[in-house]
Amino acid sequence: MSRKGLPANQLAAAGARKFVRALLTERAAAPPATAGPGSAAINAELIHDAVLLTSELVTNAVMYAGTEIDVTCRLEHDHDPAEGDGERGRAKLGLVMEVSDRHPARRVRGGVDARTGEPGYGLQLVSALAESWGVTYRKSVKTVWFRLEATEGQPGTVGSVPRPETRTVAPPVRPARSDAQPAAQRRRTHGYAAEWADRGGPSFLAETSELLAGQLDQDMVTALAAQLLVPRLADWCAIWLTTDSGTMQLSRVWHVDERRIAPLRADLELDPPADLIRTAGTPWPWPECAGATSSGGSALAFPLVARDTDQGMLLLGRAGHLQMTDTVVRMVEDVARRVAQAVLTARRYTRQTTISLALQRRQLPATLASIPGVDTAIVYEPHGEGQTVGGDFYDVFPMGDRRWCFLLGDVQGKDPEAMSVTGLARHLVRLLAREGHGVESVLGRLNLAMAEESAEAVELGGEQASSRFLSLLYGELEVDPGTPGARCTVATAGHPPPLHMFVDGRVEAASDPQMLLGIDEGTEFQASSFALAPGETLLCVTDGVTERRCGNWQLDDNDGLIEVLRDGTGLGAKALAEHVRRAAHDFGTGPVEDDLSVLVLQAVTPVADRRP
């Protein structure tokens, strides 16, 4: 008995195939005294079926269990009764393969009828090819097993599926690409490919659709497609994809013999397709590194077209002088269409994501300005999935040699429209500050701009247009090079007030609550000024922190945020910001439902005053 452990990743099926093929090939070549009396019954057909079925079961285990996988091979030796006195009967062999995972609670996917649409059709092949098979459930392990039988000198049937007769054909002449005819116009069949199409075509297409659906990375699409096609329909597969410049780039190469992948890729890259293939099943020159029998091999190209746009080319190769039936060609065409559609979808998603990220990067500063004598730290988590910017925004920027401005804001809403307002507000604050406006003046003018923006939105969109309100914490720090600490002036508009923590652990709100920006254009704002002495901290957060919920309670109920700040006494600016972020996450059991932002300003104690 031999066993192989495999991780639950994309390489598991390939590792299983390599293990089974190498083990059975080694046993077949070994003398009976070493490998056992039944080893003489091991033939190419038995190895092929064992590799195929094990690959199917390992693929199912990766997809539906997702745990580490064990592949076990057990050989059961026997002889037929002797035909005469002193004659040894023919060797018989029972091959039992087991595929075990660590997820016994999840049932094995794949029913008897492939037309039901149930995912995971590997068991259809097992049922058709194996002498017997089953599933064994243990406390912590689930095992799917099958048994194949072979008799020395009898290449008959396996299970209930008859095997095609072996045909001897002449070595192929490699056709030129320009005058090549499609394989569908030829009538000689490759037995197993035609048999596979007739017996398992619909289930194979269903599995292809399921695996490719939802894939948003074109390299992952081509990787899955190649491993689906090899070894089911081909010995090797190559997928070329078009580029923005109109050329072809080799995206994926896969081979039943993993050792040939690298040389095959190098061989194919030397001769990329000059023109797009328009006809399915176009013959293609056989690459020397693909490996084949003495009769050579056959390679066929299929176009990848989705919504009348060329996405690339699919190239399949198989040893021997083979020709596909119409049924096989149509099935590969269907696979190619699914691959092309998945590639097109992935490319559109990538393009939209690239544009979105490029626009989002302009909404926030690339870095925070460094303030002499004051450590700064920011924690920023947008709520929207796949977004780098949400409705919260922040900034720290210099205004001359001794003055720095900081802000933390929150736009009403979490949609892309809210994100667009963040960039407008941040850049407008910078412009007003550089024109010499103080804290109160900046808030007043930004309030006027937001009110006008809301009025224009209502005028253009009618009563259904939603107004955009903005909460903002804005302040200035003035640093004297000869004096430790800084002078801080800060004001808030509809925003959680900043918390000022003193060296002795006292915590006070550093500003008074005031009206949201954009509601009343005539609102006047007042700022507060205070000294931020060495060792003192100013904590600024958005309502994603203060309004974090746990049942009917919010984090800031009963001065909850003050207690969180006190618990972080002695931490540096970055560590304190992370402490507050973690406290917000840990407060509730569910996911955070709003943008979460934390800005920490901490006056540094001069080196000469620090205790050893």
Side-chain angles (χ1 to χ4, degrees), residues 39-122:
S39 60
I42 299 177
N43 53 37
E45 180 179 309
L46 178 71
I47 296 175
H48 183 278
D49 288 346
V51 169
L52 174 64
L53 299 186
T54 303
S55 177
E56 291 289 339
L57 295 183
V58 170
T59 300
N60 280 355
V62 171
M63 289 176 57
Y64 301 119
T67 67
E68 292 184 356
I69 300 166
D70 288 332
V71 178
T72 304
C73 178
R74 187 171 71 252
L75 300 178
E76 300 175 351
H77 304 275
D78 197 2
H79 286 96
D80 275 340
E83 297 178 358
D85 294 338
E87 294 185 3
R88 181 181 65 85
R90 291 176 299 178
K92 295 181 65 177
L93 179 74
L95 170 64
V96 179
M97 297 297 306
E98 299 178 353
V99 176
S100 304
D101 61 66
R102 310 298 198 276
H103 202 322
R106 179 165 293 179
R107 67 185 179 90
V108 179
R109 306 297 292 270
V112 176
D113 187 358
R115 294 170 296 177
T116 60
E118 181 75 13
Y121 294 94

Side-chain angles (χ1 to χ4, degrees), residues 372-384:
V374 178
D375 280 347
T376 60
I378 184 74
V379 167
Y380 182 80
E381 289 185 357
H383 172 260

Side-chain angles (χ1 to χ4, degrees), residues 484 604-612:
V604 179
T605 302
V607 177
D609 296 341
R610 296 178 184 174
R611 295 182 179 181

Side-chain angles (χ1 to χ4, degrees), residues 487-490 510 527-531:
R487 186 69 184 174
C488 181
T489 303
V490 66
S528 303
S529 296
F530 57 92

